[in-house]
Amino acid sequence: MRPLTTKDHSRDSAGLTYVYPVISRRSGGLSVGINLNPNNACNWRCVYCQVPNLTRGAAPDIDAERLGGELRALLNQILTGDFYHRFQIPPEQRAIKDIAISGNGEPTSCKTLDRIVELIGTVCDEFGLLGQIKLVLITNGSLVHKPIVQAALKRWSELGGEVWFKVDSATVEGILRINQVNLTPGSVHRNLEICARLCPTWIQTCLFSFDGESPSEAERRAYLDFLADLKHRDVPIQGVLLYGLARPSMQEQAPRLSALPGEELDAIADRIRALGFSVKVTR
């Protein structure tokens, strides 16, 4: 077994189909991932995405029985077995921080998302983890308008879960360049508001240099105006997760991307805090 590190978020580290352990920078330790897109399919194609052979599409049919079995087996290894020794995890990181629905594509494209959420809740209850660890759904938010997604979000909230909702840009041009989809900031705003009123929601934003250039002042101002409007409308956003590049992109734009200096991330975070938002910065 190769050691788990923040530099490697391989989905097959445990040799399973749907469940994988990672050491997460943003979670601050061990995160148990649920990959609902083992087909590497997503309706977006973010330039910084670390998924190899990414294709446009949706999640496949999910074998819920297998997913449940894998999750139970991995949790049992972590809680009672030699998991930490086999993956060479240092003592200070030997605790589950969260279970995260994430993976190799947009998880809310799963046709049975509501049942998967219920299954995760059942397994967590069996292991006494409900209320003890975080439950996180990481999403680009583009399918929040669908009834099945809204039902899943409501149940996720009841289980104590939260959402990390991707907003990398608040301009049409920026969304197209970074996420490679044609969306208006208005549609992102509407879905974000729906999501935040159904389940505790954090905005997650990846910042980086493109062709050696940092986000322009026009991009920064549009993003800040987007946040200010959320505040004005009393949309209950928990805060902003601001993070930079840590692992190499597997997309064709990879050579054009580079990490922002830490002081630049901090400066942007300060401008967000000035609007009244909590901000967590991960370099």
Side-chain angles (χ1 to χ4, degrees), residues 190-248:
R190 285 191 295 274
N191 276 357
L192 178 55
E193 181 167 356
I194 291 169
C195 184
R197 297 195 188 283
L198 288 170
C199 186
T201 298
W202 289 77
I203 293 171
Q204 63 163 8
T205 300
C206 185
L207 293 177
F208 52 91
S209 293
F210 205 120
D211 292 332
E213 296 185 2
S214 303
S216 68
E217 180 56 30
E219 274 286 329
R220 299 182 196 207
R221 173 47 54 192
Y223 180 85
L224 293 169
D225 288 346
F226 181 93
L227 294 180
D229 190 58
L230 291 169
K231 183 70 71 173
H232 176 72
R233 292 175 57 84
D234 291 323
V235 179
I237 300 299
Q238 303 299 302
V240 178
L241 305 173
L242 208 60
Y243 66 106
L245 299 180
R247 300 180 302 280

Side-chain angles (χ1 to χ4, degrees), residues 77-92:
Q77 289 177 32
I78 293 170
L79 296 172
T80 66
D82 63 349
F83 172 87
Y84 293 119
H85 175 73
R86 287 190 296 116
F87 284 95
Q88 302 176 44
I89 297 174
E92 65 273 14

Side-chain angles (χ1 to χ4, degrees), residues 12 102 117 127 130 162 180 186 190 192 203 215 225 236 259:
D12 62 359
S102 180
V117 162
F127 283 85
L130 283 182
E162 63 185 50
Q180 299 195 78
R190 285 191 295 274
L192 178 55
I203 293 171
D225 288 346

